[in-house]
Amino acid sequence: MRTFEKSRAKLAEAKQVLAGGVASTLRGSMKPTPLYVESASGVTVRDVDGNEYIDYQLAYGPLILGHAHPGFNEKVSKAMAKGITYGLQHDGEIELARRLTEVLPCADKVVLSGSGTEAVMLALRLSRAYTGKRKVVRFHGHYHGWSDSIFTSFPSPDMMQKATSAAADSVPPGTKGQSELSLQDIILLPWNEPETLEATLRAHAHEIAVVISEPVMCNSGCIMPLPGYLEKIRELTRELNIVFIMDEVITGFRLSPGGAHGRFGINPDLVTVGKALGGGIAVSAVGGRKELFELIDSEQVSHLGTLNGNGVATSAGLAVLELLTENDGAVYGKMEGNAIKLAEGIRSLFEKHGHRGVVNQIGPVFHFMFIDEDEVAHFDTFQKRNSAKYAKFAELMLDEGVLVRPNGLWYISTVHEAEHIETTLQAIDRVFVRLTEGN
């Protein structure tokens, strides 16, 4: 049995000076306690108590190359030696922007920013300025960052959200402290329901500036779009003069070098990317049609940020893209193969131990849930999952030396190997026994 006493002591110390004891609210939900890390390399995280874990959380998505990747670290270190940020221009901005326009099919131009939240904020602003309209269509269960104008109540075991109040015909805010007016331009719809979408867009086309959607519902069950659904969004938005934003902060560079829109062959007007792009360094971008970016070229829309395009961020983005695309992107086949092996292994263990559950997987990402359903293809079905049982599973997996996110979302990196998958399946086998026995 592993002990976590030093992590518990560190948390108590942190709470004296750091609000909540953690630097992001999301991290505070880990049981039996939020972990404090001593070091990490490859797929392995070592905590201050001396425990080691195979990591499938991967810093909530950015670490597509794993921890402390030597090639990545070398390139970033060389950039740092030249100065970290200048508040002036440098070649790294041009090089990363050019590379992004090469790999992202929809991107004529890009802008660089610091986080997924910031990228979404700019994409929404561009959309409103371009169309001259205000309303934003977004979908239940999707996550587009935590800015006031888009952050709605998001049911997830590790979001730690308390119930927020809203009138029956309004959009519930994601947190206390949001202005009661912040979400007045949001139209919240169920995803994967083309008839509802079309009726809403046609009825309100005169005021809807933008539809924003994750291409795969990664944050809520890794639910795939129904056949033709994203195509329907593209068709309707083009017809009705509505901007289509594909939020690929998770799927960007994870499902293919061109993200989900490259894999699916559907070009949105704008795409937001982050997480994997930086490999652990804070960087994000918006790419898309040149007509929208002319609003920045002409200074009608402001794009601000002190650290945008800094030397470390651009070198990180270039390093990630170089490492992912070498040998014709061979690592994508490896990552997806390992994800399929792990997902299929979990499904076999469900059957072996008599647990009901679903694993939704695409590329090197999947969502694992305990649920009395044969499939999960809609958010309403996803809401029926036994999140408490999964949270207990995640806690028991820590004791087995496997780090997973408490909400069920798993990531595979380029450095996960077959032996890590086999070790993980053996750990799940033992944990399923403990769950059956109630331990």
Side-chain angles (χ1 to χ4, degrees), residues 91-104 107-110 112 318 321:
D91 282 346
E93 295 175 314
I94 302 172
E95 292 167 10
L96 180 57
R98 179 178 292 117
R99 191 73 184 104
L100 289 171
T101 62
E102 291 169 351
V103 298
L104 296 172
D108 299 325
K109 285 187 175 183
V110 301
L112 303 176
L318 287 164
L321 293 174

Side-chain angles (χ1 to χ4, degrees), residues 135 140 165-173 180 183-188:
K135 297 286 187 180
H140 289 287
S165 60
D169 60 348
S170 65
V171 178
E180 63 272 16
L183 297 172
Q184 64 181 349
D185 288 335
I186 297 294
I187 299 172
L188 188 57

Side-chain angles (χ1 to χ4, degrees), residues 73 75-93 112 281-283 305-317:
N73 284 0
K75 292 176 185 299
V76 173
S77 295
K78 285 182 178 179
M80 291 178 69
K82 297 179 181 179
I84 293 172
T85 192
Y86 311 122
L88 300 167
Q89 289 55 249
H90 59 101
D91 282 346
E93 295 175 314
L112 303 176
I281 300 294
V283 61
T306 300
L307 300 179
N308 289 351
N310 70 78
V312 173
T314 56
S315 66

Side-chain angles (χ1 to χ4, degrees), residues 49-191:
D49 288 279
N51 303 310
E52 293 192 350
Y53 310 91
I54 301 172
D55 185 8
Y56 294 96
Q57 183 170 277
L58 297 181
Y60 298 89
L63 300 179
I64 196 166
L65 304 176
H67 296 272
H69 187 286
F72 176 84
N73 284 0
E74 180 183 2
K75 292 176 185 299
V76 173
S77 295
K78 285 182 178 179
M80 291 178 69
K82 297 179 181 179
I84 293 172
T85 192
Y86 311 122
L88 300 167
Q89 289 55 249
H90 59 101
D91 282 346
E93 295 175 314
I94 302 172
E95 292 167 10
L96 180 57
R98 179 178 292 117
R99 191 73 184 104
L100 289 171
T101 62
E102 291 169 351
V103 298
L104 296 172
C106 76
D108 299 325
K109 285 187 175 183
V110 301
V111 294
L112 303 176
S113 48
S115 68
T117 292
E118 293 172 73
V120 168
M121 289 167 62
L122 178 62
L124 294 176
R125 183 171 293 174
L126 283 170
S127 301
R128 287 189 171 110
Y130 183 74
T131 62
K133 297 182 283 186
R134 291 176 40 206
K135 297 286 187 180
V136 175
V137 170
R138 57 153 298 164
F139 300 97
H140 289 287
H142 291 215
Y143 179 68
H144 304 295
W146 61 291
S147 67
D148 275 13
S149 63
I150 196 72
F151 186 35
T152 64
S153 184
F154 188 84
S156 175
D158 59 0
M159 290 295 281
M160 298 182 67
Q161 288 183 328
K162 308 301 182 187
T164 52
S165 60
D169 60 348
S170 65
V171 178
T175 179
K176 287 188 175 181
Q178 279 181 262
S179 165
E180 63 272 16
L181 302 179
S182 64
L183 297 172
Q184 64 181 349
D185 288 335
I186 297 294
I187 299 172
L188 188 57
L189 297 180
W191 197 61

Side-chain angles (χ1 to χ4, degrees), residues 49 109 130 255 286 320 362 368 429:
D49 288 279
K109 285 187 175 183
Y130 183 74
L255 301 192
V286 184
V320 167
I362 180 172
F368 162 17
D429 196 4

Side-chain angles (χ1 to χ4, degrees), residues 25 33 98 177 195 199 202 318 321 373 432:
T25 302
T33 185
R98 179 178 292 117
E195 296 83 4
R202 292 198 181 282
L318 287 164
L321 293 174
E373 302 284 341
F432 275 9

